[in-house]
């Protein structure tokens, strides 16, 4: 009898919704109360300091040392007034999540007393011991030190009585060791490139912002049941588990009523979000049982990403208060949908125009077509890179699994926009060029707004879909740092826009009109990149064949997908935009391969343990009970009758034996494969060996364990089953 499992079930059934102490105030009164936002800056900083800081933030300038000291003083006073006693630089190393090291605001005073201290120097830069963070060999070859440096564009905040200062993290020699540094570089580069092109249409444009609205999917599991599943605790997903008789086939969970325990969790989480200035807005049930989604109002990409990272750590914390564990893994349960994090992405000018939104006038629409076409060209050229940017050991379980985008990057435009672009590409009559002529406008371009406003044309199977005024990059995984995708996408689009501008400028110099030049370049781009458009069913086998014919990247092995970062088109693009140097790209890939290997290695170990120590002993015990039974029945009913009475049992005994034998054999094979792979020095080769030789026996083992789960006495089964894990009461 498995006491662990049944104790967990008993304990889980005691967990009820806890009453939430909502703040007495209205949301606008506590919204952002833990953020050092402009309002707090004005209150706590001397006027000249405030002006200098805002100028530096808005116009991307560096702060003088005096101003930094003055900001630090005000920030410290605000933090202490709000209960903080420590401060930390908060950064995003190349692992999952964030890193922080807390220091108290104290210093020895002159007379042996303790005084509160926080200086500009401490605010601006620190030297965390970088040696334990992944760096892909950069630190070994150069210097052991790493620096964290203040990112003034993302406001400081208080979390758990600690003032958190968003920072970048770089090596002594300036190579990035984090996600934020290249993200800021990519955003800078797309700002300059897109503003250059946007000025063809509005010369007053100074800056273009990149916007991100992520949609975070997640699962909740009762804490007691979670603790009884070593695979969930150690790997974030179930490595075994037979499908529940009921799962998502009735589709009754999507947008269904939210269970009260979950609703209490959500309310608590949203309140925490709002206090930290994260504009959490939408919540709903997802398709799979126990699966939910939270989406905020979109924000500037760097801030939106900080907010997503902050949200992910808040989720873990708040979930525990409600006796839940939150699963951010892309595929915690086999047989039901996994979790993604759709990245809604757009570009907008500082004049308030969204560049992927069709406008009211012909000029607006030419601008719209210009930007859409350049995005298509960038995604086409760098489709393998974009896939690599969302690839990970965990997301691999979700991609191509017929509920998430396939492992091929294509763009869904919808039939109307696709038709418009086709006509632009083929139609070379003068009417197209004559945009000041009402008739010319009506030809097509003028109709775009009316039809696109009705944005019902949806395709769930597309990894990158146009959705009215933005693109939705759907292939991003639920546990990912969005920066990875946003770095690749913004940099690729920046590079494409720079090229486009150079080509258009050359035509202008040769005497062409602006419209002529733009349309000529748009047509030529469309001719080159239209293969990236695919509006059909991305799950079908025909698409896989068709995509290969079109030359789109069809690689399905994650360690090999990472190669895309080092192919010449990527290295050159990242070099031209100044987003990542070749040294950085190489180092990052080392980290990616290493992390891939380690994740699979941990899973393989946990699976081996569970199979050999938990499952097989239980199966053998059950088999012995059956065998005893057979012997006793045959003694009681000698001859034919005894045989008849025991046929079912002897068959089960045989089947159990086959399953346990296969599990044992495959477990040995898996250990051998691991040993062999561990001897490989090259990180890429090692990751490939894990992918090719360790994962296949893992899948076989799981198959046989799941079969045993369906045969062995339920009371003996040691692990909480899917039907217990997946339905919160
Ligand atoms: P759906 O599930 O229909 O895709 P949601 O409301 O769940 O839509 O999420 C849409 C997300 O897209 C939200 O975060 C929203 O703020 C964001 N979004 C809306 N417009 C833009 C835009 N122009 N740029 C970036 N994100 C956007
Ligand atoms: Mg969506």
């Amino acid at each position: 009898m498995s006491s662990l499992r049944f104790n967990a079930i008993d304990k889980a059934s005691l967990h009820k919704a806890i009453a939430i102490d909502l703040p007495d105030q209205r949301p606008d009164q506590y919204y952002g109360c833990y953020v050092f936002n402009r309002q707090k800056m004005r209150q706590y900083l001397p006027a000249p300091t405030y002006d200098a800081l805002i100028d530096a933030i808005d116009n991307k300038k560096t702060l003088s040392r005096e101003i930094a000291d003055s900001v630090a003083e005000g920030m410290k006073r605000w933090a202490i007034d709000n209960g903080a006693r420590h401060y930390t630089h908060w950064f995003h190393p190349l692992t999952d999540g964030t890193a922080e090291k807390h220091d108290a605001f104290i210093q020895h005073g002159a007379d042996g007393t303790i005084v509160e201290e926080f200086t500009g120097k401490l605010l601006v830069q620190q030297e965390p011991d970088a040696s334990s963070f992944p760096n892909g060999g950069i630190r070994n070859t150069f210097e052991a030190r790493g620096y964290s440096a203040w990112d003034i564009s993302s406001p400081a905040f208080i979390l758990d009585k600690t003032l958190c200062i968003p920072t970048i993290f770089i090596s002594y020699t300036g190579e990035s060791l984090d996600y934020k540094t290249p993200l800021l570089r990519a955003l800078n580069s797309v700002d300059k490139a897109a503003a250059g092109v946007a000025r063809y249409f509005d010369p007053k444009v100074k800056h273009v912002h990149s916007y991100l609205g992520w949609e975070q999917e997640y699962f909740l599991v009762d804490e007691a049941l979670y603790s009884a599943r070593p695979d969930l605790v150690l790997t974030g997903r179930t490595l075994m588990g037979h499908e529940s008789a009921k799962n998502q086939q009735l589709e009754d969970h999507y947008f269904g009523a939210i269970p009260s325990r979950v609703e209490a969790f959500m309310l608590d989480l949203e309140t925490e979000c709002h206090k930290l200035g994260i504009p959490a807005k939408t919540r709903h049930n997802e398709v799979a049982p126990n699966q939910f989604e939270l989406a905020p109002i979109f924000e500037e990409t760097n801030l939106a990403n900080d907010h997503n990272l902050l949200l992910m750590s808040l989720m873990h914390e708040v979930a525990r208060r409600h006796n839940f564990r939150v699963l951010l893994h892309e595929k915690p349960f086999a047989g039901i949908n996994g979790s993604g994090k759709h990245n809604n992405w757009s570009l907008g000018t500082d004049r308030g125009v969204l560049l992927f939104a069709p406008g009211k006038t012909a000029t607006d629409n030419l601008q719209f077509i210009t930007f859409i076409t350049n995005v298509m060209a960038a995604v086409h050229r760098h489709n393998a890179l974009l896939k690599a940017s969302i690839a990970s050991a965990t997301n691999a379980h979700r991609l191509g699994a017929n509920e998430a985008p396939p492992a091929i990057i294509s763009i869904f435009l919808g039939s109307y926009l696709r038709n418009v672009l086709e006509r632009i590409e083929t139609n070379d009559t003068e009417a197209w060029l004559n945009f000041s002529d009402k008739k010319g406008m009506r030809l097509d371009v003028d109709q775009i707004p009316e039809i696109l406003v009705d944005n019902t044309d949806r395709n769930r199977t597309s990894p990158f879909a146009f959705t009215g005024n933005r693109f939705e990059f759907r292939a991003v995984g639920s546990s990912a740092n969005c920066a990875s995708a946003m770095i690749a996408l913004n940099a690729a689009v920046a590079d494409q826009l720079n090229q486009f501008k150079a080509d258009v400028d050359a035509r202008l110099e040769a005497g062409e009109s602006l419209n002529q030049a733009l349309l000529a370049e748009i047509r030529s781009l469309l001719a080159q990149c239209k293969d990236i458009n695919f509006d059909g069913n991305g799950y079908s086998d025909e698409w896989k064949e068709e995509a290969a014919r079109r030359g789109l990247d069809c690689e399905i092995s994650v360690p090999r997908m990472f190669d895309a970062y080092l192919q010449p088109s990527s290295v050159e693009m990242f070099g031209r935009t100044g987003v990542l140097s070749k040294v950085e790209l190489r180092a990052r890939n080392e980290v990616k391969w290493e992390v891939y290997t380690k994740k699979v290695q941990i899973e393989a170990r946990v699976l081996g343990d569970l199979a050999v120590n938990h499952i097989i002993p239980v199966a053998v015990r059950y088999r012995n009970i059956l065998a005893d039974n057979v012997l006793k029945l045959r003694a009681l009913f000698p001859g034919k009758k005894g045989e008849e009475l025991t046929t079912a049992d002897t068959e089960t005994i045989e089947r159990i034996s086959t399953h346990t034998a296969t599990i044992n054999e495959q477990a040995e094979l898996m250990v051998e494969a691991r040993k062999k792979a561990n001897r490989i020095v090259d990180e890429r080769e090692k990751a490939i060996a894990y992918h090719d030789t360790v994962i296949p026996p893992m899948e076989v083992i799981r198959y046989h364990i799941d079969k045993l789960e369906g045969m062995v006495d339920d009371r003996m089964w040691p692990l909480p089953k899917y039907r217990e894990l997946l339905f919160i009461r």
Side-chain angles (χ1 to χ4, degrees), residues 147 169 179 356 389-390 408 425 525 562 605 613 632 635:
Y147 289 117
F169 182 44
Y179 284 107
F356 306 148
S389 79
I390 54 92
I408 300 165
E425 190 199 332
L525 280 183
F562 294 148
R605 284 186 182 152
N613 301 331
K632 283 177 186 156

Side-chain angles (χ1 to χ4, degrees), residues 215 293 342 344 458 460 470 472 474:
E215 303 164 46
E293 177 183 301
H342 296 174
N344 294 269
R458 288 225 157 197
R460 295 238 144 232
R470 61 189 185 268
E472 192 169 328
R474 301 206 182 110

Side-chain angles (χ1 to χ4, degrees), residues 185-212:
R185 291 180 192 149
L187 297 176
N188 226 351
S189 136
V190 83
D191 173 359
K192 292 210 180 79
V197 173
R199 277 193 285 271
Y200 287 139
F201 306 94
D202 175 359
K204 291 206 179 108
V205 167
K206 283 207 200 72
H207 287 291
V208 168
H209 303 293
S210 164
Y211 295 111
L212 166 64

Side-chain angles (χ1 to χ4, degrees), residues 225-519:
L225 297 166
Y226 170 91
S227 308
R229 290 279 321 208
D231 48 357
L232 275 183
V233 174
L234 297 175
T235 73
R237 72 174 178 117
T238 55
L239 298 173
M240 56 192 66
H242 195 282
E243 232 178 88
S244 163
K246 174 182 191 294
N247 48 43
Q248 63 187 46
Q249 62 275 65
L250 292 176
E251 296 183 341
D252 51 354
H253 194 253
Y254 191 57
F255 283 16
I258 300 173
S260 59
R261 249 186 95 187
V262 175
E263 204 165 319
F265 157 79
M266 288 175 164
L267 193 57
D268 199 359
L269 176 63
E270 285 155 3
T271 310
E272 295 297 332
C273 282
H274 291 163
K275 288 182 187 165
L276 282 160
I278 304 171
K281 184 170 167 70
T282 308
R283 64 179 181 204
H284 59 76
N285 285 359
E286 266 301 329
V287 176
N290 279 19
Q291 193 188 25
F292 309 94
E293 177 183 301
L294 182 150
I297 300 170
F298 70 93
E299 299 176 289
E300 188 278 317
T301 297
N302 177 42
L303 183 62
N305 190 46
D306 280 356
H307 280 166
N308 181 246
L309 289 161
L310 195 49
L311 172 92
M312 291 196 283
S313 51
L314 277 180
M315 287 176 109
H316 289 298
E317 202 178 301
V318 176
R320 285 181 186 208
R321 296 210 281 260
H322 295 261
N323 299 310
F324 283 133
R325 288 304 175 108
V326 62
L327 306 180
L328 294 176
H329 193 289
E330 282 77 2
K331 192 78 178 174
F333 304 98
I336 58 172
N337 280 9
S339 301
K341 181 151 56 196
H342 296 174
N343 276 205
N344 294 269
W345 169 79
S346 65
L347 296 174
T349 68
D350 55 355
R351 307 256 295 151
V353 173
L354 281 178
L355 294 167
F356 306 148
K360 292 198 173 56
T361 67
T363 314
D364 288 347
N365 282 329
L366 185 54
Q367 170 165 285
F368 163 69
I369 296 294
T370 298
F371 278 91
I372 295 283
T373 307
N374 275 285
V375 171
M376 285 166 56
V379 174
H380 181 246
R381 177 162 313 138
H382 297 287
N383 71 88
L385 174 68
L386 285 168
K387 190 165 79 185
S389 79
I390 54 92
S392 67
T394 52
N395 206 16
H397 296 281
R398 171 179 165 260
L399 292 180
N402 271 18
E403 29 106 350
I408 300 165
I409 300 292
S410 63
I411 299 185
F412 171 84
L413 289 175
S415 53
Y416 185 77
L417 183 55
R418 199 183 60 234
N419 283 340
V420 169
L421 294 180
E422 269 164 19
R423 291 173 69 173
I424 290 180
E425 190 199 332
T426 49
N427 186 340
D428 53 5
T429 61
E430 280 303 299
W432 278 111
L433 305 179
N434 193 359
F435 275 78
S436 58
D437 167 13
K438 263 274 169 205
K439 269 198 337 235
M441 281 160 54
R442 270 201 293 114
L443 253 181
D444 257 318
V445 181
D446 205 31
Q447 293 170 6
I448 296 169
E450 293 151 34
I451 302 210
L452 286 183
V453 165
D454 177 23
N455 174 34
T456 52
D457 207 357
R458 288 225 157 197
N459 180 334
R460 295 238 144 232
T461 73
S462 175
F464 199 96
F466 178 69
T467 52
N469 63 2
R470 61 189 185 268
F471 286 93
E472 192 169 328
F473 195 2
R474 301 206 182 110
V476 183
S478 51
S479 72
N481 185 324
C482 305
S484 182
M486 288 294 113
I487 291 164
L489 180 59
N490 285 287
V493 169
D495 192 46
Q496 170 57 42
L497 286 167
N498 284 334
Q499 184 59 52
F500 180 81
K501 180 157 191 308
D503 294 342
V504 170
D505 285 351
R507 285 178 183 272
L508 294 179
E509 261 168 46
E512 287 184 27
S513 76
L514 180 60
N515 284 347
Q516 262 175 340
L518 288 169
L519 276 168

